[in-house]
Amino acid sequence: QIHFILLFSRQGKLRLQKWYTTLPDKEKKKIIREIVQIILSRNQKTSSFVDWKDLKLVYKRYASLYFCCAIEDQDNELLTLEVVHRYVELLDKYFGNVCELDIIFNFEKAYFILDEFIIGGEVQETSKKIAVKAIEDSDMLQETVEEYMNKPAF
Amino acid sequence: MPAPIRLRELIRTIRTARTQAEEREMIQKECAAIRSSFREEDNTYRCRNVAKLLYMHMLGYPAHFGQLECLKLIASQKFTDKRIGYLGAMLLLDERQDVHLLMTNCIKNDLNHSTQYVQGLALCTLGCMGSSEMCRDLAGEVEKLLKTSNSYLRKKAALCAVHVIRKVPELMEMFLPATKNLLNEKNHGVLHTSVVLLTEMCERSPDMLAHFRKVRQLSSSQLVPQLVRILKNLIMSGYSPEHDVSGISDPFLQVRILRLLRILGRNDDDSSEAMNDILAQVATNTETSKNVGNAILYETVLTIMDIKSESGLRVLAINILGRFLLNNDKNIRYVALTSLLKTVQTDHNAVQRHRSTIVDCLKDLDVSIKRRAMELSFALVNGNNVRGMMKELLYFLDSCEPEFKADCASGIFLAAEKYAPSKRWHIDTIMRVLTTAGSYVRDDAVPNLIQLITNSVEMHAYTVQRLYKAILGDYSQQPLVQVASWCIGEYGDLLVSGQCEEEEPIQVTEDEVLDILESVLISNMSASVTRGYALTAIMKLSTRFTCTVNRIKKVVSIYGSSIDVELQQRAVEYNALFKKYDHMRPALLERMPVMEKVTTNGPTEIVQTNGETEPAVLETKPPPSGLQPASQANDLLDLLGGNDPVIPTAPSSKPASAGGELLDLLGDLNLTGSPVSAPAPQITQPPFLLDGLTSQPLFNDVAAGIPSITAYNKNGLKIDFTFERSNTNPSVTVITIQASNSTELDMTDFVFQAAVPKTFQLQLLSPSSSVIPAFNSGTITQVIKVLNPQKQQLRMRIKLTYNHKGSAMQDLAEVNNFPPQSWQ
């Protein structure tokens, strides 16, 4: 099971945080600081895996963004790299040539896409087409301004 | 009130901030605006405001005041609201929040919504962060959706069920029926999540596992064959654009199936057999040029190693790992080492074949790879390869990162202990570790090493010489200095006498040795514990060195006023040893005997430091019989503590002056005049007089009635005995002796010894001093406890030694005038 996913820039700015376990806010902040520091200090010659506490961190850099997943001991690290890659592909398919700015300005969409790919730390959909279609269909459901204004709140 | 600014607008604005302070100011301003908007219960812009709040939350600012707003959004009819509302809930409303449970009803409603995307939102939220209570409430809804034909919902429901089971394991049973035909789906999403669900169930419950191994699925086939079939289809079927990843069809599903197969095949012959073929197929046919293929191979190898696979398959698996080790990709090497570590116990020989590649990985630049290579290397050390492996590992110890050194050192000690080809090699290896990584060696390694050195009797001279040389240059590494101090203290005599056989003996004087020990004592680098070692070592040398005893005395007395309490206590006690108890000093500071081998489970085992037992002996001042029997018989100790059943010999008419005859005394004594019988009943290890003697008063009032006697009176030395009987143990008599001196000169170095017949036991406590002042101006008192279980007539032989008027005096006498009340 994936415990959490973090996206951050090369300056250490957080772009997305998804937690699949419950932790106090303070703890989360501390973990983020720690992990960002560990990963940013790794050089090119190292592997993509870091032993951290009782978890394994799997990370990969795409352009200016670091994608980091924390998995359990029995999870397959190499497959997790594929999971990360698939997420990037989904973002790319949705946004078209995705870059960090897309994720900054449309962070809620990044979350929506992630939520169509992973639930509770496990992959729910292995087809790129189906996952992206679900997002696009949901987008269609979002009301136009008139519809929005006219629909009841509760 | 103007409309709140849009989300993207806000993001743009905040990004223009040049300093943290500027950003904070913007945020605070916007938060204030959002707060008042919330207060106005504004429906229109609630969604926009919450979205902005979530952005600010990601930047690290507090957003808890938006929690209730999320609830309102979730309850709204607008899809836009719900989407943001559920996102906000997942970010702000985890189960630790009070208002978390307020979501339950909304989620329940939305699980039954007419729009599948709304249902999806609800399922996702529940499956990511629902609390146990919420899971309990909504498990039924999830179970319903698990049976729907809508694959979009079914896959989500499956993962939701996984979460419910993780939170509330007891609910597992209720999902069982729904799993019956999950695998009949064509939809990969459903297949994948179903496999995850089945995995979770099998991992958590052995009953479930047994159930799934046996039960017939709806389509008349068992689970394992079904999984095998699905996997086969994935491999054999042609290109499927929807699920293709670099030429491999749905690697995510393949890996999950392999993992489930692993669990099903573990410890189960039938299941393992059913999957042998497919595993071989996957292992040989998977494309290895890209990471994705290797991910599948990796999982396959793990499965093969974990189930009851046939040996051919296992060899195939290990070879795959061997190939991985040679791969340029670090990630591949990393997983190879991890897997080999898991299998090294069970398939030791197969892994041994790759030993040299593994050892090469010690030189890798990646920390995780190095660590695994190190652990694996230790696992591969055996009697045959120990010399070569140790060479590599010592080299590694030299150059590795500090975080490894402690573990590496411990590992080397352990391996050396198990497989050392010779004692010399063993000592050399220990020395190498101590000098290379001396400050990283674990604290508990020190006692282990000391024990090892003690037991390598023939290497003492060599060891102490090497240790001495090692700390001469540098005494900053504490564990090294501790071991060295201890050895120098024990074997310093060997050091100065230049007895080393193994290598060229060095010329060292007593003063030079004391120099280095004193340097350790003084140095700022020395820890308190280390100083303790050094001081004790110096003290021990007082009985091994001949010319420098005065220097030692001086050092010891200086530290009597040390600020360090531990050192001070030691010094004071050692001082006392020089002064009042000098007669005991040789015995107490004797060479340590070979220790009982304590089985070490690992470097973490704590072993009593022998270096500490000496001060302990001094602190509690036990009767001399409490000391370990030394290898050389000390007559005094034997007499007082031992109860060796001595075969009675013919009474000797004249006691000689050597110590040995004391033992004869035991045989001399007739027991109430009857002929000496065959060896008296064996008295095993005396439980001694302390049995039955607790802290309560020993003496009863009857004691007042026992008359005292003069046991000895000669040459101005008079010894009186007074008696007391124990309350709790009628066999015990406590005798207090008082020695007085009527001559005009002091009697010094006075020692009183006593022997009693075999059926008695004797315990001599410490004397008040060893000097009897002249002119009866003072006495020495000493307590003797006699155990007389057979209530025999009490008789005693005593031996007195002391110095008087410049000459050594000695006398033996028999005490026969014990009053009957003292023993009846």
Side-chain angles (χ1 to χ4, degrees), chain A residues 1 13-18 20 22-25 28-29 42 45-51 74-79 81-83 86 101 104-108 111-112 115-116 119-120 122-128 130 134-135 137-139 141-143 148-149 151-154, chain B residues 7-8 11-12 15 43-44 47 51 55 57-58 60 72 75-81 83 87 90-91 94-96 115 117 124 127-128 152 155-156 159 166 188-189 192-193 196 242-243 245 250-252 255-256 259 291-292 294-295 298-299 330-331 334-335 365-366 368 372:
Chain A
Q1 185 208 354
K13 281 205 151 288
L14 195 65
R15 299 299 179 207
L16 185 145
Q17 54 172 327
K18 188 77 186 179
Y20 296 109
T22 312
L23 288 166
D25 247 358
K28 286 183 193 170
K29 287 208 171 111
R42 305 260 294 178
K45 307 249 180 188
T46 56
S47 65
S48 307
F49 313 129
V50 180
D51 294 315
Q74 68 268 28
D75 293 327
N76 185 325
E77 296 95 320
L78 298 180
L79 191 73
L81 280 173
E82 294 299 319
V83 169
R86 173 57 64 90
L101 275 180
I104 293 171
F105 280 94
N106 302 284
F107 73 93
E108 84 277 16
Y111 277 104
F112 296 153
D115 287 340
E116 279 301 325
I119 286 184
E122 305 279 2
V123 168
Q124 72 180 273
E125 182 53 66
T126 57
S127 158
K128 260 188 291 196
I130 294 179
I135 304 287
D137 285 355
S138 301
D139 285 347
L141 270 190
Q142 294 206 191
E143 294 84 354
Y148 187 84
M149 299 301 265
K151 259 191 165 161
F154 300 109
Chain B
L7 170 65
R8 324 247 178 258
I11 296 176
R12 206 167 297 130
R15 281 170 65 77
N43 294 333
T44 325
C47 180
Y55 178 73
H57 177 252
M58 181 146 65
K72 292 180 193 161
S76 161
Q77 295 298 341
K78 302 173 195 149
F79 183 72
T80 315
D81 283 354
R83 238 183 165 186
L87 178 60
M90 285 193 270
L91 288 172
D94 65 37
E95 59 189 316
R96 303 175 75 255
T115 312
Y117 294 111
C124 178
C128 283
Y152 179 77
K155 72 189 184 197
K156 290 180 193 276
L159 288 185
R166 283 179 182 155
H188 281 222
H192 187 276
T193 57
V196 173
E242 199 173 335
H243 299 110
V245 180
D250 206 338
F252 304 103
V255 167
R256 282 324 293 236
R259 188 154 150 188
N291 180 64
V292 59
N294 288 322
Y298 177 36
E299 197 74 31
K330 283 192 182 295
N331 296 335
Y334 176 98
V335 303
L365 292 164
D366 181 308
S368 311
R372 278 161 174 72

Side-chain angles (χ1 to χ4, degrees), chain B residues 13-32:
Chain B
T13 312
I14 291 178
R15 281 170 65 77
T16 61
R18 273 161 302 173
T19 63
Q20 187 74 15
E22 215 182 312
E23 181 186 277
R24 212 175 308 131
E25 210 185 298
M26 292 178 185
I27 303 267
Q28 275 172 352
K29 191 161 146 235
E30 185 57 37
C31 275

Side-chain angles (χ1 to χ4, degrees), chain B residues 406-423:
Chain B
D407 286 334
C408 191
S410 300
I412 291 178
F413 285 145
L414 197 60
E417 202 175 315
K418 279 206 261 200
Y419 302 113
S422 74
K423 282 229 154 103

Side-chain angles (χ1 to χ4, degrees), chain A residues 61-78:
Chain A
R61 184 164 78 82
Y62 289 86
S64 56
L65 263 187
Y66 281 91
F67 288 70
C68 176
C69 279
I71 55 173
E72 290 177 347
D73 196 50
Q74 68 268 28
D75 293 327
N76 185 325
E77 296 95 320
L78 298 180

Side-chain angles (χ1 to χ4, degrees), chain B residues 652-673:
Chain B
S652 54
S653 46
K654 203 175 70 158
S657 48
E661 76 286 353
L662 272 178
L663 292 171
D664 293 345
L665 287 179
L666 291 173
D668 274 350
L669 295 171
N670 271 339
L671 310 173
T672 61

Side-chain angles (χ1 to χ4, degrees), chain B residues 490-506:
Chain B
E490 277 295 307
Y491 313 122
D493 49 323
L494 299 177
L495 186 57
V496 297
S497 65
Q499 283 180 24
C500 183
E501 285 173 358
E502 299 278 344
E503 63 175 22
E504 186 69 36
I506 56 176

Side-chain angles (χ1 to χ4, degrees), chain B residues 298-353:
Chain B
Y298 177 36
E299 197 74 31
T300 311
V301 165
L302 289 177
T303 300
I304 292 174
M305 299 316 289
D306 219 5
I307 64 170
K308 302 220 155 195
S309 47
E310 46 181 56
S311 59
L313 203 50
R314 296 182 89 83
V315 171
L316 182 59
I318 302 258
N319 287 343
I320 292 177
L321 290 179
R323 278 206 310 275
F324 273 7
L325 271 183
L326 298 168
N327 196 311
N328 280 330
D329 187 337
K330 283 192 182 295
N331 296 335
I332 308 285
R333 285 216 293 285
Y334 176 98
V335 303
L337 286 170
T338 307
S339 316
L340 285 170
L341 206 48
K342 289 191 188 139
T343 62
V344 71
Q345 304 299 335
T346 47
D347 295 79
H348 192 93
N349 292 331
V351 180
Q352 279 283 4
R353 265 181 246 128

